[in-house]
Amino acid sequence: MALPPKPLAALIHALDAVGIWSGKIVAWLILPMVMSLVYEVAARYLFDAPTIWAYDMTFMLYGSFFMLGSAYTLQKGGHIRTDNFYGEWSVRRQGWTDAACYLVLFFPAIAIFTVLSWDYFVRSWGQSERIVTSPWMPPVYPFKLTMPVAGALLFLQGISEFLKSLWAGLHGERL
């Protein structure tokens, strides 16, 4: 097995560490989400006193959890892949296919998503946007910030996965 040059290995390790670190931190968002749901159910059904904030809190936390966990999921290979043909291919062919897909599909889409969602966040922040359909009118811009942050994290993890794909394409073995 050929070992990658130290700078390449260090870069991949650093990028993977960012994805893993962010995923482990984001995983903790599940606790306040579950706690708000449990509180809402208890308040509603035990005390006949539903909250005005639990629904909004739950969907904002779940959306954040989903978006910010996407880089971790990519690093762990958890995104959906159609394996009808891919699973039968050699590691080299899989690597070249993955590298081409990262260049042609992934990076342009994530770059566009990140830039557009940053503008979406900045506009929301500048207007101090709130959820007007909610009685407690929580600010929405922190929730919208998760989109460009998730895009940036995905882009970084995509660089790592692209480099691993190139290695597989060149050397016929996975890192």
Side-chain angles (χ1 to χ4, degrees):
M1 177 174 169
L3 294 175
K6 285 188 180 187
L8 176 64
L11 177 61
I12 289 171
H13 179 71
L15 293 171
D16 284 348
V18 170
I20 291 168
W21 174 82
S22 66
K24 288 183 177 184
I25 288 175
V26 167
W28 286 99
L29 288 177
I30 203 78
L31 290 177
M33 186 185 83
V34 169
M35 289 173 15
S36 67
L37 282 171
V38 168
Y39 185 85
E40 168 63 18
V41 169
R44 179 179 299 267
Y45 295 107
L46 296 177
F47 303 109
D48 196 27
T51 66
I52 62 170
W53 55 267
Y55 173 76
D56 298 319
M57 184 67 68
T58 300
F59 86 77
M60 286 190 285
L61 286 171
Y62 182 73
S64 300
F65 180 73
F66 179 82
M67 292 295 294
L68 294 171
S70 59
Y72 178 80
T73 305
L74 179 61
Q75 197 275 333
K76 295 296 181 187
H79 287 284
I80 296 172
R81 169 179 275 148
T82 305
D83 287 337
N84 292 348
F85 302 110
Y86 185 88
E88 301 297 319
W89 293 345
S90 68
V91 171
R92 190 177 303 270
R93 186 172 184 185
Q94 288 176 354
W96 285 121
T97 301
D98 288 344
C101 286
Y102 276 108
L103 282 178
V104 174
L105 302 171
F106 181 85
F107 289 126
I110 295 300
I112 290 168
F113 171 78
T114 304
V115 168
L116 292 178
S117 63
W118 177 257
D119 292 341
Y120 189 56
F121 159 71
V122 168
R123 193 173 323 112
S124 177
W125 184 37
Q127 298 171 349
S128 295
E129 185 178 7
R130 297 185 170 278
I131 300 176
V132 295
T133 57
S134 172
W136 69 294
M137 295 179 59
V140 73
Y141 52 87
F143 175 59
K144 289 184 177 181
L145 178 60
T146 64
M147 292 185 283
V149 170
L153 290 170
L154 263 172
F155 198 88
L156 290 175
Q157 189 59 49
I159 293 170
S160 173
E161 300 305 316
F162 172 72
L163 293 172
K164 292 176 201 173
S165 299
L166 277 180
W167 183 266
L170 290 168
H171 298 281
E173 53 192 32
R174 300 210 179 274
L175 288 179

